[in-house]
Amino acid sequence: MFAKLPPLPPTASRSADNQTASATDIGRNHLAVPVPQDLDAEPHAEIVFNEDRDLITAHEDATMSSVLHIFDRHWHGIRSATACLPGGKLGISHKNAPTPDEIRHIEGLIFKHGFKTVCFQGYSEAADYLAEFLHRDFGSDLRLYVVTHVTTSQFEHAFEMAMLKRVYDKVGRGIIARAGSVKPNFHLFHEKTWPGCVINIPPALSRMVVALPKRESGTVFIPVENTWRKNLYTQVAAAQRSPKVGRVVLVNWPAHLDQLVTLNKIQVVGFQPREGLLAYMALAQLVTNVSFAECQPMTQLEALAVGTPALVGPLRLPGFSDHPLSKLCEVTELDDPGLLSRRMETVLDAWRTDSRGLVEMISDFVGQRVAAGLASYKEFLEL
Amino acid sequence: MNGQPTAIEKRPGPSTPAQGASFVPFDGEINTQDLHLRLWRAASPRSDSQRRSTAEAGQKYLTARGCEQSPTVLFDAAHYLRQLPWFVRDCADPLDHYLRTGWALGLSPHLAFDTAYLGAALGIRAWTEPPLLAYFEHNEEVSPHPLFDLGVYARHIDTDRLPCARLFEVFIGCWRGAHAPFSRLFSIGFYSKFEPVVLSENVNPLMHYLTTEKERRRDPNPMLHNEWYDLRYPARPGQPADPLIRFARFGLKEGHLPNPFAARQMKLHDACVPVPRDLLLEYVDISGTNRTTERELGQTGMFRSAAQ
C-alpha cells in the first residue's frame, strides 16, 4: 500500500491499518480483552530502529539477517507485514523527508549492523529521498529493493502511481535493483516489476505474550474499516442474517445500516492494538476480510496465526489457490450478503463437524505460507 | 642544548599543563646522554635488545646518532617543532630538546601520543621523566592514545615478528604492511566511506583523522555523531576538543549519549540519566562489526597474524 493516510476526523481516536473508529462507537459492549492502547506512541521519533513491536513477531532466518526492511511507521498494514519478516526493521515517516541527522544515523546503523540489502516496504517521497542518499554513499556495497503493496484498483489515489513511477525510474537507472509486488501477476501490468510474487507471511507468536480467550461458538470478527473497498456493509449484513452466527464483533460501525436491518448481534469494540486484535481473532470462530481488492491481507494471516480461519476475497496466490483452506475461505460472492452468509456458515459448520481437520488445515497452510514467503523473499532479494 | 633556553631549571615549581598529569622537571644536572641511551635501549626491538644492552653498543650509538635521528617513530620531529615558538624552531636536535626540556613543557612527541591519556593509563599524576621514555620503560605495553585499542589491533598482528618494541609503533610506522582494525570506536570501513583516500592510498586512518582540521573531520564511529555530541556535551576546560576522543576518554565513563536516537534505541526511559557503561560500549563498539573493512584489508601484510 502506498496510500497516505487520510486526515483523521475530529472525533476519531487513531487510525491503524484499516481501522478507524469514532469516539461514539468505542465503548459499546467491550469484550474482556486488553484496553486499546495508543499504537503510535512514538510522538517524537521520526525514525525508529528494531523496536520490540517490529521484531517480536518476526520469523528467524539467518540468510535474511543482512537485510534491512525500511517501512513507513504510519502505514500499519505494511508495518505488520514487515514485522513478520526476518531482518532489521527501520521505520521512517512519509510526512517529512529524513533530516541530515537521520540519514547520518541510518547510514551508521546500516554499517554497524552489517546490512548488505535494503528492502523498502512501500514507497514514499521520504523513502525515495533516502534511497538516493544510500545509493550515493554506499554504492554497490548496498543493494536496494522495493516491495510494493498496492493493487491497480488503488490507483484512484494518484499518489500510488506517482510513487510507482519513481520506483520504476530508479529501477531503470540501476539505483533500485528490483521492484517486486505482493500482488500476483503485477509484472503483467508493468514490465519493470519482478515477475515472481513476493509472499507475505503470518506472524510468529511464540515470543509474544497474548492472553488468548476461549473460542466462542458462532462469533464472527470483522476487523475492517468502513470503506467501499473493504466492503464492511455486505459482510455485516451477511453475518447478521445467518442464524448460525451468534455475535458479530466489529472495529468500525456500519453507519446507517440499522435503518434497514436489525443489528442485534453487532458489537463494536473500536480501535484495537495488535494484542487486542489477536485476542478477538482467537475468540471468534471466523474472521472475515471479504474486500473488493486486496493483495495479501495481514488480517487473514494474523487470524490464521491464532488458529482462526479467515474469509477473504479471491487472492489467487501462486501455490495456494488449490489448498483446501483457500477453497474453503476464498470467496467470490463479494457483494451478495445471502451467498456470503452461506459461505460463513460453511466455515462455522466445519468447526462443528471436523474441528480437528480444520485446525490441521490451518496449521498446514500457515507452515506452507511461511516457507513459501521466506523462499520468495530470498529469491526476490537474490540471497 | 644548542642555545635553547634553560628556563626550566629556574621555574619555581612543577608546570600545570591543561590536562592530565602535571610535569615535574629535573632537579639539578640533566644528563641527556643518559636519557638518549635509555630511550634507545627501551625502544629496542626484541631481536636487538641484547646487543643494545652492551656499553660498547651504547657508546657507538651516542657517537653516531644524528641530530634528526630518533630510535622510535613515536618521536615525530616535524610535529614536535611545530609546537615550539617560531624563533626556537631551528633547534638542531629536536629529540634532545624534548628529552631535556620539551616534555616538561607539556610538548607532545607525536600527534598520536597522548601524554595525558598515557598518564592516566599508567596511573601517573606528575611526570618526573619524559613520558615517551616512561612509555617505553614500562614493563607492559599500554595504549598511548584513546582511539588505539591494543587488544583489537593485536588480534590481527603477529606480535612475535614485530620490528619495533611496541605494537603502537608498528601501527604508526608500518601501517602499509600492518593495516588492521585497531579500535572499538574507530571504524576504518565507515571512515573510509567518506574518506576513501584512507583505503586507496593506504593512509593510516587515525593519523588522517588527527591531521584533518577539526571542522572537516568525518565521523569514524557509525553510532557517534561527532557534531551532535559536540553540541550536546561541549568540551570542559582541560578536555580534548575532538568529540570522539572526548567521548572515548570521558563520555563513556560519564554515560553520555552518542547520538540523538540512542536513548530510544537503548530503551532508556530517561535520556538525562547517564547510560550504564557496558550498555553504552556495546552500542558504540564496532570492533566486531568491521566485516567490510576486514575483507577490504584482507590482503596479507608483513605483520599480519597467520591465525587471521
Side-chain angles (χ1 to χ4, degrees), chain A residues 128 162-176 190 192:
Chain A
D128 194 53
M163 289 304 104
L164 270 180
K165 172 150 183 17
R166 290 190 184 207
V167 171
Y168 292 135
D169 283 351
K170 279 198 165 46
V171 171
R173 288 163 57 201
I175 293 176
I176 290 173
H190 200 290
K192 280 186 179 158

Side-chain angles (χ1 to χ4, degrees), chain A residues 361-382:
Chain A
M361 194 191 294
I362 292 170
S363 172
D364 180 66
F365 184 94
V366 167
Q368 284 192 35
R369 189 70 185 259
V370 171
L374 293 178
S376 75
Y377 261 98
K378 287 178 196 170
E379 188 184 353
F380 170 63
L381 299 173
E382 302 171 269

